[in-house]
Amino acid sequence: MHKETPLQTQVETMLRDGFPEVEVLLVDKPTPNRVRVFIDRDASPVDTDLLEQVTRELSPLRERYALEVSSPGIERPLVKPEHYARVVGSPVAVRTEQPVDGRRSFKGVLTEAHDESITIDLDGEPVRIPLEAVRAAHLVDDGRGGKP
């Protein structure tokens, strides 16, 4: 699972007071000089005004990184146990650090979500994956659109 990093904690702290309705889904550092921040909120969709406001609030990070602030989109990242719990019954894609049941890549319907593990239905076979083994996970667009 994407581990909580000092950078993720820093971003969450920077946004906590000014944007209490914003959830920081993921802070990703794809290269040493670039940071991507994925945000969401329940009350209303993430719009360009919110993205601009959050980008301004995170401007001190621009001294060290090229900064991208984005909504999660249809294939939203799943990072925390509560993210998985919200989307039980939805199609997901999961990659693990080490093989689980002989494989590292899984695509199926999320049938269970717990604090320590998830279960995915792979063609009628349940596969339990410890969250500590997850490298990356996201929802899969099933064509229905909308927020789960």
Side-chain angles (χ1 to χ4, degrees), residues 99-118:
V100 174
D101 288 349
R103 58 192 294 179
R104 290 183 184 185
S105 183
F106 303 86
K107 195 172 187 180
V109 174
L110 181 66
T111 58
E112 294 180 27
H114 305 282
D115 287 343
E116 303 290 324
S117 67
I118 57 172

Side-chain angles (χ1 to χ4, degrees), residues 9-115:
T9 302
Q10 179 183 5
V11 168
E12 289 174 349
T13 300
M14 292 172 78
L15 296 178
R16 183 174 298 128
D17 292 335
F19 300 90
E21 78 282 6
V22 169
E23 178 184 11
V24 177
L25 295 176
L26 175 66
V27 176
D28 187 27
K29 197 171 168 189
T31 67
N33 299 332
R34 192 167 103 209
V35 170
R36 288 188 295 210
V37 178
F38 293 93
I39 61 170
D40 200 7
R41 68 177 168 191
D42 286 333
S44 59
V46 173
D47 57 20
T48 55
D49 287 340
L50 179 63
L51 293 172
E52 289 173 6
Q53 292 169 12
V54 168
T55 299
R56 277 194 298 277
E57 189 70 21
L58 297 176
S59 64
L61 294 177
R62 289 181 164 169
E63 295 172 13
R64 293 180 287 160
Y65 307 106
L67 178 65
E68 299 173 24
V69 178
S70 177
S71 66
I74 293 171
E75 295 196 342
R76 64 193 335 94
L78 303 171
V79 181
K80 302 174 182 176
E82 57 267 24
H83 296 164
Y84 292 96
R86 283 188 219 144
V87 299
V88 168
S90 300
V92 297
V94 177
R95 291 201 45 83
T96 59
E97 292 285 348
Q98 301 297 322
V100 174
D101 288 349
R103 58 192 294 179
R104 290 183 184 185
S105 183
F106 303 86
K107 195 172 187 180
V109 174
L110 181 66
T111 58
E112 294 180 27
H114 305 282
D115 287 343

